[in-house]
Amino acid sequence: MEPLYLGIQIIHHCVFMRISFSIGLLVGTLDVVLDSSARVAPYRILYQAPDSLVYWTIACGCSRKEITEHWEWLEQNLLQTLSIFENENDINTFVRGKIQGIIAEYNKINGIKEDDDTEKFKEAIVKFHKLFGMPEEEKLVNYYSCSYWKGKVPRQGWVYLSINHLCFYSFLMGREAKLVIRWVDITQLEKNATLLFPDMIKVSTRSSEHFFSVFLNISETFKLMEQLANIAMRQLLDNEGFEQDRSLPKLKRKSPKKVSALKRDLDARAKSERYRALFRLPKDEKLDGHTDCTLWTPFNKMHILGQMFVSTNYICFTSKEENLCSLIIPLREVTIVEKADSSSVLPSPLSISTKNRMTFLFANLKDRDFLVQRISDFLQQTTSKIYLEKNMSGSYISSDDEVRERQFNLNGNGIPTATQALMTMYRRRSPEEFNPKLAKEFLKEQAWKIHFAEYGQGVCMYRTEKTRDLVLKGIPESMRGELWLLFSGAINEMATHPGYYEDLVERSMGKYNLATEEIERDLHRSLPEHPAFQNEMGIAALRRVLTAYAFRNPNIGYCQAMNIVTSVLLLYAKEEEAFWLLVALCERMLPDYYNTRVVGALVDQGVFEELARDYVPQLYDCMQDLGVISTISLSWFLTLFLSVMPFESAVVVVDCFFCEGIKVIFQLALAVLDANVDKLLNCKDDGEAMTVLGRYLDSVTNKDSTLPPIPHLHSLLSDDVEPYPEVDIFRLIRCSYEKFGSIRADLIEQMRFKQRLKVIQTLEDTTKRNVVRTIVTETSFTIDELEELYALFKAEHLTSCYWGGNSNAIDRHDPSLPYLEQYRIDFEQFKGMFALLFPWACGTHSDVLAARLFRLLDENGDLLINFREFVSGLNTEKGINWRFLLGLFPHLWVILLIIGKKSSQENRNYLRMWSQENKSKAKNSRDLPKLNQGQFIELCKTMYNMFSEDPNEQDLYHATAAVTSLLLEIGEVGKLFSVQPTKEADSSSNNCSKTIQNDSSMSSYSVLSAGSHEEEKLHCEDIGEDTVLVRSNHTTSLHRSTSIDRDWAITFEQFLASLLTEPALVRYFDKPVSMMARITNAKNVRMMGKPITSASDYEISTMSG
């Protein structure tokens, strides 16, 4: 049997080996399939102990040169020392100890600490960065063995999941395949099942689909993919996605590479998110741990099996049986935590007492001592600045009222302020409806009071199915605000942020921005039919809450529909309570609903369409054809039915929403469709369908309401159509639970993830199209080229956000700006793109030209340029062929005029002027200023640099020398006909001299070969600080800083005419430049670190999007 490796040299048991070529492919394939190694190293240095069949790998290398360097180091530093040892065992001990010592020293120098990571994962990190050209800042989260399907042929390899990329590598029988996909480019992520493979992951981008299978743990892999894709979608939404997440620590460059660190932290973040959603806790609450236990429930005298969750500020419990019992105990309410005596009936009990004299008894705790210690630690950390528990149905004490009155009267116009819920001040009762309805309302209040007595009152109450049943029957008017705070979790945020709202109001009132303008415009459109908002007291309260929130969360600011929801909150809650309810609504319960693009509502619209397809299939196709679902769902979801139902009925929906969450809205929407199936199937168009649904919702009544009917502005009954039969809101809600109650919150979250990818990528595509449509008339690029440039520009922006830059993501991304100006790059990113895209970017002068062009494009001087500015600069360079020369080359002229100094507004006007092709080119060329001698020298330098590394470099140099010589003659002749220079010309020349004196960045040029007219041509020898321009028939030297001829000047027409006399220059500017090819090459370089050399470089597409 042929050996796998062939020995080249053996010294003292150190074997220098090269892989045998005939079976090297087999070794590489086995390494990829069976191990994490990305590709086998063809050279290895092994150490074999005496009488042992085991080899220790000391070094490996991809080339003979690399491994030889390791071998020489061993000969100099290790092998010579071995001769002093007398026996083989001493040599064995010394060699192993020496190698381990070298590794330990390296780790110490580089700050790497030994940990419990596997060596394979450390190798995987190194290979990940090496194989895919990723910088060290790109963190590998985990990697999995799998098969990638290219056509009908699977490729066995490894998928690497990092924070920003999904990568795949395979090396099979000599064929290498790579795949790199940015998470932000993924449009769909699904776990599918086929006949051949029961589990397969499908990853879709805008341009392709990728299939992976044969995972050892597909659920774990898919869950991690979902999480990483979610993080990427958040990055596209706002800047928070780029900010360092406190629950996901970023490893420093020299910190230990832990396989468990990032993966474990991501898992912990996912668990914390589920924990917060389950118990409606503040968004910064982190789960510390959970354990199985039992809870003694005094209301039914039972021990309920469930789980206890402990976090920084809360102890929570939920039963194993859904909706049986749940409990939230804020640590701020805890007074005593003690271990009770164990017994066979009650093993390992733990008693927790609270300020409202409630005691909770947990038992069957596996590690009670450790749990008590953790709770004690968190109790010590709990801040002492906590409000005493308030009587939530009463008002504040008088001293608080005085403070509140003083702080809320900030507008100084004498408008009275309310210190209680507006409904209590504007409640109107109809005498004819007084007795029956008030009696029913009284019974509801008594039922809740009995419930409180049995299950507890306040945040620590036991929450059971009976609690939900009471909510579904309607919350009494007097208790609505209290229970909304409780069920939404807003009570916790308000209790832990005393004085926050008052301070925010004080800081925000009197300040104006786009959000406050929109708020003022919508104030009088917020429930105008209700008397509470028909006077300045209600309007002022609404203004304060909306303005305070806009200043708290500028990413959202203000969005239409927020005014309607907030006005209802103010009716039933005090002003500060309404603010915290709005916080809970916008930031936790309806995430991303109220931003400029209403992403959350669009996501839930997609979820609703899926649910409609599953639950009312007979109606789904009809509704899709009519396009009704997308129309109705936005208005229903954004306002929680408040804008489409009578007020007294809609508030019952809000009751259920705060108790059960978004599933109630989905259930109710499906119930409305189900109740109108027959009518909708007979509709001919969307208008008729909307009328049917509008009339149905207008007819939804609340016969238990003690309020007089409030006119509903949404009513569509403007004709003689027979009134729709009344629909009882409580019956409608019960029907929604009976038919669609199986919809679970976790199912909704899974569907939301799928729709979020689709919605955000659709919005990104829409944005791209809008940007291209806006800018296409300003450039000579095609639509396809602009779309690709936009994708590349955005990718550069995102990459700089991933891996750092001279400015942070918040500076570079401003969501308030127009779409084409939102993404911005700094000079470092521009320099990289300049080198890849601009035809003139070649040779050593590239960075200098990039710096000059960047200064010109940076109109506002903030050291950032947006996409419009970038394209205007690139359009200067677009396809320098001859028919565009007149329209394009003056850009260079303008750039030359401002070399070495900051761009003036005049020069920027020239740049914009020349980008408008509808103007007369001849007229524009006459508008350009003349070029003086100092600027002409810079023109010579730039011309020579433009042709650097061109295949016809020498011919172009000769032609340029001829042109410059001719232009010198023209300038000299022009002096004879010029008038005395004005003061402005002198000033311009002086400025130019200073500019040239300060710019020595281009300092070395080749001596030109003069050709047949050498005696008349210009020589440029080492142009630098002491540049001398020499003509053979003149002895006058033009020293850069002292000998500039201020009377000498040429025009653009003279320059252009001279250029046309040289065929080499004409051919150079007539040569077409393929921008699409440059874009494709730039994308490849950015993702793979190398330019495209041939089609065979791509076994798998290297980039998506």
Side-chain angles (χ1 to χ4, degrees), residues 27-74:
V27 173
T29 299
L30 290 175
D31 273 3
V32 169
V33 175
L34 302 178
D35 191 35
S36 65
S37 302
R39 190 172 183 179
V40 64
Y43 294 92
R44 295 181 182 178
I45 298 177
L46 309 177
Y47 177 78
Q48 184 182 30
D51 301 325
S52 174
L53 298 178
V54 177
Y55 284 89
W56 290 75
T57 301
I58 294 178
C60 60
C62 295
S63 65
R64 179 67 179 263
K65 180 181 178 181
E66 182 182 356
I67 202 66
T68 300
E69 292 176 356
H70 294 311
W71 184 264
E72 291 174 351
W73 186 92
L74 288 172

Side-chain angles (χ1 to χ4, degrees), residues 333-352:
E333 300 291 330
V334 173
T335 56
I336 300 175
V337 177
E338 58 182 353
K339 294 180 286 187
D341 295 333
S342 295
S343 66
S344 58
V345 179
L346 202 62
S348 302
L350 177 66
S351 173
I352 299 177

Side-chain angles (χ1 to χ4, degrees), residues 555-758:
N555 286 334
I556 292 179
Y558 171 77
C559 175
Q560 286 188 343
M562 287 176 66
N563 59 318
I564 297 175
V565 175
T566 306
S567 59
V568 174
L569 299 179
L570 280 168
L571 288 176
Y572 293 101
K574 300 170 186 176
E575 198 168 308
E576 182 180 10
E577 295 170 347
F579 170 80
W580 287 112
L581 283 169
L582 183 63
V583 169
L585 203 68
C586 295
E587 298 177 10
R588 291 190 286 105
M589 301 189 73
L590 295 176
D592 301 319
Y593 261 58
Y594 301 104
N595 55 30
T596 54
R597 297 190 284 181
V598 292
V599 172
L602 292 174
V603 169
D604 281 350
Q605 173 185 303
V607 173
F608 180 54
E609 290 184 7
E610 281 197 66
L611 292 173
R613 182 187 60 203
D614 295 338
Y615 286 92
V616 283
Q618 71 276 24
L619 187 60
Y620 177 74
D621 291 337
C622 172
M623 296 294 284
Q624 286 294 96
D625 293 339
L626 296 177
V628 173
I629 291 182
S630 59
T631 304
I632 61 176
S633 55
L634 276 181
S635 59
W636 293 2
F637 294 165
L638 276 172
T639 64
L640 304 176
F641 286 92
L642 287 166
S643 63
V644 295
M645 265 189 197
F647 172 78
E648 61 273 11
S649 301
V651 291
V652 178
V653 177
V654 179
D655 292 343
C656 300
F657 168 75
F658 279 125
C659 179
E660 290 277 88
I662 191 64
K663 63 169 290 188
V664 171
I665 306 300
F666 287 121
Q667 290 175 185
L668 191 63
L670 290 172
V672 171
L673 293 183
D674 184 69
N676 292 274
V677 168
D678 296 335
K679 292 184 176 63
L680 290 172
L681 288 175
N682 294 324
C683 291
K684 302 295 189 297
D685 53 42
D686 58 340
E688 187 178 353
M690 291 295 296
T691 301
V692 168
L693 294 173
R695 294 181 67 244
Y696 178 85
L697 291 171
D698 284 330
S699 68
V700 177
T701 60
N702 179 3
K703 296 181 180 180
D704 294 346
S705 175
T706 60
L707 302 175
I710 298 175
H712 182 41
L713 298 183
H714 183 265
S715 177
L716 300 175
L717 300 177
S718 57
D719 50 23
D720 298 329
V721 178
E722 182 181 350
Y724 202 96
E726 289 187 351
V727 179
D728 182 67
I729 181 62
F730 299 107
R731 183 177 299 172
L732 179 61
I733 290 176
R734 282 197 304 273
C735 178
S736 72
Y737 271 89
E738 291 170 0
K739 291 186 176 182
F740 311 108
S742 59
I743 298 175
R744 297 170 53 89
D746 56 350
L747 173 65
I748 291 175
E749 287 305 314
Q750 291 176 10
M751 299 171 73
R752 274 178 165 176
F753 165 75
K754 178 181 176 181
Q755 293 298 327
R756 190 176 295 115
L757 289 178
K758 179 180 177 181

Side-chain angles (χ1 to χ4, degrees), residues 396-408 419:
Y396 289 90
I397 57 176
S398 60
S399 59
D400 285 346
D401 282 349
E402 293 172 0
V403 173
R404 188 170 299 270
E405 182 77 21
R406 182 179 67 253
Q407 292 182 337
F408 283 171
T419 58

Side-chain angles (χ1 to χ4, degrees), residues 740-997:
F740 311 108
S742 59
I743 298 175
R744 297 170 53 89
D746 56 350
L747 173 65
I748 291 175
E749 287 305 314
Q750 291 176 10
M751 299 171 73
R752 274 178 165 176
F753 165 75
K754 178 181 176 181
Q755 293 298 327
R756 190 176 295 115
L757 289 178
K758 179 180 177 181
V759 166
I760 293 178
Q761 297 294 14
T762 300
L763 290 173
E764 290 293 308
D765 290 341
T766 302
T767 298
K768 179 174 67 177
R769 288 193 295 269
N770 291 338
V771 169
V772 169
R773 189 162 48 246
T774 301
I775 210 171
V776 68
T777 58
E778 304 173 9
T779 74
S780 56
F781 292 112
T782 65
I783 291 178
D784 290 340
E785 288 174 336
L786 281 175
E787 288 185 348
E788 290 295 329
L789 282 173
Y790 179 82
L792 191 62
F793 186 89
K794 187 178 77 170
E796 189 68 27
H797 163 85
L798 294 174
T799 300
S800 65
C801 294
Y802 298 156
W803 300 330
N806 294 334
S807 55
N808 60 42
I810 296 178
D811 294 333
R812 288 190 293 267
H813 183 81
D814 186 352
S816 65
L817 294 174
Y819 287 134
L820 77 167
E821 300 178 11
Q822 284 187 9
Y823 294 117
R824 293 178 287 179
I825 59 175
D826 60 22
F827 174 66
E828 288 302 317
Q829 285 93 55
F830 176 79
K831 184 171 66 174
M833 297 188 72
F834 180 87
L836 293 171
L837 295 174
F838 286 65
W840 298 346
C842 57
T844 57
H845 72 291
S846 179
D847 288 354
V848 177
L849 285 181
R852 293 170 179 173
L853 183 57
F854 184 84
R855 288 199 300 270
L856 177 68
L857 299 176
D858 183 17
E859 296 192 10
N860 57 6
D862 63 351
L863 302 181
L864 296 168
I865 62 171
N866 58 44
F867 182 65
R868 183 197 289 273
E869 295 166 339
F870 174 76
V871 169
S872 69
L874 186 60
N875 192 54
T876 308
E877 324 292 344
K878 157 75 167 142
I880 314 177
N881 70 37
W882 196 252
R883 64 191 179 89
F884 288 129
L885 179 61
L886 182 62
L888 298 175
F889 201 78
H891 292 276
L892 173 63
W893 190 271
V894 174
I895 295 173
L896 293 169
L897 291 176
I898 51 101
I899 284 176
K901 64 180 179 179
K902 288 191 175 180
S903 309
S904 66
Q905 187 60 42
E906 179 185 1
N907 290 325
R908 295 197 184 95
N909 291 336
Y910 281 123
L911 184 65
R912 286 193 292 269
M913 175 183 67
W914 281 95
S915 66
Q916 299 174 2
E917 295 184 0
N918 58 337
K919 292 187 176 181
S920 168
K921 294 182 174 61
K923 179 181 177 181
N924 287 340
S925 64
R926 287 194 298 271
D927 290 339
L928 284 174
K930 292 183 177 181
L931 204 68
N932 62 35
Q933 197 170 72
Q935 293 165 337
F936 176 69
I937 294 172
E938 296 299 330
L939 174 60
C940 294
K941 291 164 58 178
T942 303
M943 288 282 289
Y944 280 104
N945 280 295
M946 280 175 56
F947 308 138
S948 173
E949 302 180 9
D950 190 275
N952 302 314
E953 182 177 359
Q954 288 303 316
D955 292 341
L956 292 169
Y957 280 177
H958 295 165
T960 304
V963 169
T964 52
S965 178
L966 179 59
L967 288 172
L968 281 173
E969 294 280 2
I970 293 173
E972 292 293 334
V973 173
K975 288 168 55 178
L976 302 177
F977 300 95
S978 63
V979 296
Q980 184 70 21
T982 61
K983 292 182 180 180
E984 289 78 11
D986 290 339
S987 174
S988 173
S989 181
N990 288 334
N991 289 339
C992 181
S993 296
K994 294 178 182 178
T995 297
I996 297 170
Q997 193 172 10

Side-chain angles (χ1 to χ4, degrees), residues 82-217:
L82 300 184
S83 60
I84 65 174
F85 294 98
E86 297 180 355
N87 58 66
E88 300 293 345
N89 289 333
D90 291 341
I91 293 176
N92 183 33
T93 303
F94 173 77
V95 171
R96 294 177 60 181
K98 183 69 174 178
I99 297 300
Q100 291 174 353
I102 292 172
I103 295 173
E105 183 66 22
Y106 174 83
N107 291 344
K108 180 179 180 182
I109 293 174
N110 291 276
I112 300 177
K113 299 179 180 178
E114 289 299 319
D115 48 48
D116 58 353
D117 292 349
T118 64
E119 291 297 325
K120 289 184 179 180
F121 188 77
K122 293 180 180 179
E123 292 175 8
I125 292 175
V126 174
K127 289 169 184 173
F128 165 72
H129 290 114
K130 185 176 181 180
L131 285 170
F132 304 105
M134 298 291 178
E136 291 189 25
E137 290 83 358
E138 181 67 4
K139 297 179 291 297
L140 178 65
V141 179
N142 212 347
Y143 65 105
Y144 301 92
S145 172
C146 69
S147 290
Y148 173 81
W149 288 82
K150 185 174 177 60
K152 297 182 179 180
V153 180
R155 294 179 178 273
Q156 183 65 30
W158 293 81
V159 62
Y160 296 83
L161 307 181
S162 68
I163 293 297
N164 303 301
H165 297 88
L166 181 155
C167 305
F168 176 83
Y169 181 83
S170 175
F171 181 76
L172 294 177
M173 306 308 296
R175 301 192 67 184
E176 184 180 66
K178 292 182 182 179
L179 174 71
V180 178
I181 304 174
R182 290 192 303 267
W183 292 115
V184 293
D185 292 329
I186 292 178
T187 58
Q188 192 173 16
L189 191 62
E190 292 182 299
K191 187 166 64 172
N192 296 329
T194 64
L195 293 176
L196 183 60
F197 293 100
D199 289 313
M200 177 179 284
I201 294 177
K202 175 184 175 184
V203 179
S204 302
T205 66
R206 292 176 177 83
S207 58
S208 57
E209 294 180 346
H210 308 277
F211 296 90
F212 302 88
S213 64
V214 197
F215 289 92
L216 295 178
N217 191 340

